[in-house]
Amino acid sequence: MPKNLFSRYIWIIDTIRRHGAITRDHLNELWCRADVSDGERLPRRTFYNYRNAIEELFKINIECDPSTYEYYIDNGGDKHDDSVTEWMLNSAAMSNMLTDARSVSHRVFLEDVPSSRQFLATVINAIKEQKPLRFTYSNYTRSNPTPDVAVEPYFLKLFRQRWYVTGRNVAEDKIKTYALDRMAAVILLNDKFAMPDSFDPEQYFADCFGIMFSHAEAKRVVIRVEARQAKYFRALPLHSSQQEMIHDNYSIFTYRLKLTADFLQELLSHGANLTVLEPAELRVMITESLKASLRNYEN
């Protein structure tokens, strides 16, 4: 597919999504001002052809409201599928914008996602084809890499600019998570596997903050956050269970979460702007960590 044609599909999807609903005349007006149009209008037949191609490629339906003659995107379907599509479209739209901004690329600074380049495609294929992976893994807690790790991949997760794959370690018969950027010599095996019907990828990390899994029960977590910092929590919730009670100079946020190490580190990263109120065991974990840090600076 010509790159410019793909860019046009993304532009149409992104424009309709941002407006919610839009007439074809308004869409045409915006189209003529966009770089993808080359200054030419979008003929009706071409628009319909693009709609069909978008539905086939992205499984996105662009519908028309007969009462207003406005076009909108039908969001019906699986909530998780919609979130994956949303992420994919956001990435593609951003890629289009950065391509147009190449003349000022020396003033655009991005975070690197090293794990997405080398092995992401192989892992996705393994999930699609239900085939195990074999690789060498360098765990930060071990001095030497572990060779010949065989894993039946169940799902992928992106967290803090890094890709992780979760699946059954064949030798240990245990569900484990691996960072793609710590893998080497990744091979797609020919065997077939089936993910157990009882395993729910959506629920596996449901009560976890990041990518660390725990068998412990989820706790009711209550934190007090200074008013200015609370705006950050509002814009980027720590977890889907987040609820807020706003006060004059602070906010109280509540969560249902497991007390994992990565969640502890996230709370500590906010420093004096955040205070843990509940549960008591999390308060102890926070204070012990702060005391240990302070000891590093004594004498």
Side-chain angles (χ1 to χ4, degrees):
M1 180 195 305
K3 183 177 180 181
N4 188 51
L5 193 56
F6 184 83
S7 299
R8 290 181 172 193
Y9 297 159
I10 296 298
W11 184 92
I12 290 173
I13 298 168
D14 188 52
T15 301
I16 297 176
R17 282 168 65 240
R18 284 188 288 106
H19 284 79
I22 187 172
T23 64
R24 213 178 73 80
D25 287 341
H26 189 192
L27 185 70
N28 229 326
E29 179 184 337
L30 297 174
W31 171 270
C32 290
R33 297 204 300 262
D35 290 339
V36 294
S37 70
D38 297 325
E40 299 178 359
R41 291 182 63 81
L42 182 61
R44 183 180 297 272
R45 179 181 293 275
T46 302
F47 174 62
Y48 290 148
N49 289 338
Y50 286 178
R51 280 179 66 189
N52 292 333
I54 287 169
E55 181 177 353
E56 183 177 347
L57 283 172
F58 303 104
K59 310 303 179 189
I60 292 175
N61 296 322
I62 299 176
E63 304 290 351
C64 181
D65 185 338
S67 63
T68 61
Y69 298 103
E70 290 180 318
Y71 290 91
Y72 64 94
I73 291 177
D74 183 3
N75 291 320
D78 183 82
K79 182 179 178 181
H80 180 69
D81 286 346
D82 290 344
S83 69
V84 173
T85 301
E86 181 84 4
W87 180 86
M88 179 185 68
L89 292 174
N90 284 338
S91 299
M94 180 61 67
S95 177
N96 277 355
M97 285 186 280
L98 291 176
T99 299
D100 292 338
R102 196 168 295 278
S103 61
V104 292
S105 60
H106 60 292
R107 285 189 277 168
V108 178
F109 301 93
L110 305 173
E111 290 188 50
D112 190 22
V113 188
S115 56
S116 66
R117 288 194 293 267
Q118 194 168 3
F119 302 126
L120 183 58
T122 303
V123 175
I124 289 175
N125 284 336
I127 293 174
K128 286 170 57 179
E129 299 176 19
Q130 294 185 297
K131 292 183 176 181
L133 293 163
R134 188 172 67 230
F135 51 86
T136 298
Y137 194 69
S138 298
N139 195 313
Y140 288 154
T141 62
R142 297 180 181 176
S143 56
N144 296 316
T146 303
D148 297 325
V149 179
V151 171
E152 296 172 348
Y154 288 174
F155 65 91
L156 276 163
K157 184 172 184 178
L158 180 64
F159 180 68
R160 296 285 168 84
Q161 300 297 108
R162 302 176 75 188
W163 282 102
Y164 297 85
V165 60
T166 297
R168 186 179 79 93
N169 182 299
V170 176
E172 300 178 22
D173 191 22
K174 183 178 179 181
I175 306 298
K176 302 182 75 172
T177 298
Y178 300 88
L180 268 63
D181 59 325
R182 299 183 212 165
M183 293 179 176
V186 179
I187 297 175
L188 184 64
L189 302 178
N190 290 325
D191 300 333
K192 283 278 191 175
F193 74 90
M195 187 172 71
D197 293 336
S198 59
F199 184 83
D200 187 345
E202 195 88 28
Q203 289 298 314
Y204 185 76
F205 281 125
D207 295 328
C208 298
F209 166 72
I211 49 86
M212 289 188 177
F213 177 77
S214 171
H215 289 286
E217 290 185 8
K219 303 286 185 177
R220 181 175 183 265
V221 176
V222 183
I223 61 175
R224 183 177 66 230
V225 181
E226 299 303 318
R228 181 176 297 181
Q229 191 73 3
K231 296 177 182 178
Y232 173 86
F233 282 74
R234 243 171 262 135
L236 294 171
L238 291 185
H239 188 257
S240 59
S241 64
Q242 177 172 298
Q243 295 183 343
E244 179 184 10
M245 289 182 59
I246 301 176
H247 298 264
D248 290 341
N249 300 315
Y250 62 91
S251 283
I252 300 294
F253 290 95
T254 60
Y255 305 89
R256 178 177 171 78
L257 280 167
K258 295 180 180 179
L259 308 184
T260 56
D262 48 0
F263 180 51
L264 177 66
Q265 290 303 314
E266 173 65 22
L267 297 178
L268 288 168
S269 71
H270 294 279
N273 294 316
L274 180 151
T275 304
V276 173
L277 303 180
E278 298 178 28
E281 60 189 289
L282 182 57
R283 285 177 61 88
V284 171
M285 293 165 67
I286 290 285
T287 54
E288 289 300 320
S289 181
L290 291 172
K291 288 177 182 177
S293 295
L294 185 59
R295 284 195 293 268
N296 290 334
Y297 295 92
E298 293 176 348
N299 301 323

